[in-house]
Amino acid sequence: MICAIYKSSRKADTYLYLPKRDDFSKVPQPLMEVFGTPQFVMILPMVKIKQLANADLSKVTQELSDKGYYLQLPPPTEDLLKAHRRTLGLQD
């Protein structure tokens, strides 16, 4: 299985994985509207990949098979104020 990866033109660090290049037919229209114009990044041969940097390989493969796409969202940003308060032993 190969995988085409696109980055969002509207949402930073947001990527869309597709099992076929330029085939967005399985992606819901509301998602495409929020995602913006897809910008092609690369083709990955999934059989040669052992792990992905910011996504679970088995989840990506499963969703590509089940849904026909996988959406990778950026990791949540850390609340630095809460982290600082924890280091001081203060409650949130």
Side-chain angles (χ1 to χ4, degrees):
M1 169 188 272
I2 64 159
C3 176
I5 303 175
Y6 298 83
K7 71 178 183 174
S8 172
S9 61
R10 292 189 182 161
K11 301 286 182 181
D13 301 322
T14 303
Y15 295 88
L16 189 60
Y17 294 62
L18 300 174
K20 186 176 177 187
R21 186 173 179 171
D22 297 332
D23 182 5
F24 298 93
S25 61
K26 303 273 185 180
V27 183
Q29 189 57 37
L31 173 57
M32 288 305 298
E33 290 170 8
V34 172
F35 193 80
T37 304
Q39 298 172 343
F40 178 74
V41 176
M42 71 174 96
I43 294 277
L44 275 180
M46 297 298 278
V47 294
K48 294 183 179 182
I49 302 296
K50 294 190 185 201
Q51 72 180 42
L52 295 168
N54 295 318
D56 180 310
L57 181 60
S58 61
K59 185 174 181 175
V60 171
T61 310
Q62 187 66 46
E63 288 198 21
L64 285 171
S65 296
D66 294 348
K67 296 185 344 187
Y69 69 95
Y70 173 78
L71 180 65
Q72 178 184 316
L73 298 172
T77 57
E78 182 182 7
D79 186 333
L80 296 178
L81 179 58
K82 283 185 181 180
H84 179 67
R85 290 175 62 90
R86 278 192 306 270
T87 62
L88 297 175
L90 302 173
Q91 294 181 1
D92 293 330

